[in-house]
């Protein structure tokens, strides 16, 4: 093989090794792509991690909004989400647990806010709370043991990826409190049963005639047989 051919082969081998090395640098757990942060706010305090937090507004602003998030408990004791407030305005978020559950964050587990079947966090009035799309809104989570967790979260409209996580997917007050109106309506069967079981009024024999006031009782005259 000529020297020129050997030099060409060596250059090609070197280039191939360089490309392979660059590719290896972009793979694995320390790859640069894995360090890209999303727009969803996240923070950690002690054993508590709060991730993927957003305020999601209704399609027609101003109006209600909701908070979507997932709270992880990496500790050995359960914690409870006690409140969420909007910093600045002091507005309290209406928290409602998922059906058959409460707002506990079990040790080694998590609590989801927003979305079908999860707990909900509703902000009734965005205008009063000072919330607008595009804001980096400061909010405060209050947990039973960890205490205050402050963070800034992005305000986004309920479109595209956020459909179903906004206020339109939050249960109404009536749905969250199905027993609220139970005492206001009586069972229709109860009144019907009472009517059916009522003692009927005594009836007067058709042969009896009532004596006129101050007079004597009269009876129909007897007829003679002829």
């Amino acid at each position: 093989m000529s020297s020129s051919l050997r030099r060409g082969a060596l250059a090609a081998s070197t280039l191939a090794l360089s490309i392979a090395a660059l590719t290896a640098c972009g793979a694995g757990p320390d790859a640069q792509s894995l360090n890209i942060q999303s727009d969803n706010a996240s923070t950690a305090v002690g054993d508590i991690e709060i991730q993927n937090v957003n305020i999601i507004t209704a399609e027609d602003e101003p109006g209600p909004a909701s908070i979507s998030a997932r709270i992880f408990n990496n500790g050995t004791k359960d914690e409870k989400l006690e409140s969420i407030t909007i910093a600045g305005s002091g507005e309290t978020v209406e928290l409602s647990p998922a059906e058959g559950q409460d707002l506990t964050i079990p040790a080694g587990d998590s609590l989801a806010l927003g979305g079908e079947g999860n707990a909900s966090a509703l902000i009734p009035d965005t205008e009063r709370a000072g919330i607008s799309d595009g804001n980096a809104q400061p909010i405060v989570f209050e947990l039973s043991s960890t205490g205050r967790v402050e963070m800034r979260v992005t305000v986004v409209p309920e479109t595209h990826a956020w459909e179903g996580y906004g206020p339109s997917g939050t249960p109404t007050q009536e749905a969250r409190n199905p027993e609220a109106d139970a005492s206001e309506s009586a069972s229709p069967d109860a009144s019907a049963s009472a009517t059916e079981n009522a003692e009927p009024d005594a009836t007067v024999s058709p042969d009896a005639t009532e004596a006129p006031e101050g007079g004597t009782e009269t009876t129909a005259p007897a007829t003679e047989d002829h």
Side-chain angles (χ1 to χ4, degrees), residues 66-99:
S66 64
I67 296 175
S68 67
R70 184 172 285 273
I71 307 173
F72 293 88
N73 182 357
N74 299 317
T76 58
K77 295 182 179 180
D78 294 353
E79 286 221 43
K80 188 171 184 177
L81 176 61
E82 295 185 336
S83 67
I84 304 176
T85 54
I86 307 301
S89 67
E91 288 290 311
T92 300
V93 178
E94 295 180 1
L95 297 176
S96 297
E99 184 177 358

Side-chain angles (χ1 to χ4, degrees), residues 56-61 63-65 126 133 156-158 167:
I56 306 168
T57 60
E59 186 175 352
D60 299 324
E61 273 196 291
T126 53
D133 286 346
V156 297
E158 189 180 6

Side-chain angles (χ1 to χ4, degrees), residues 181-206:
D181 299 327
S183 60
E184 297 180 6
S185 59
S187 171
D189 295 335
S191 57
S193 176
T195 303
E196 293 173 2
N197 295 330
E199 184 178 350
D201 295 336
T203 57
V204 180
S205 172

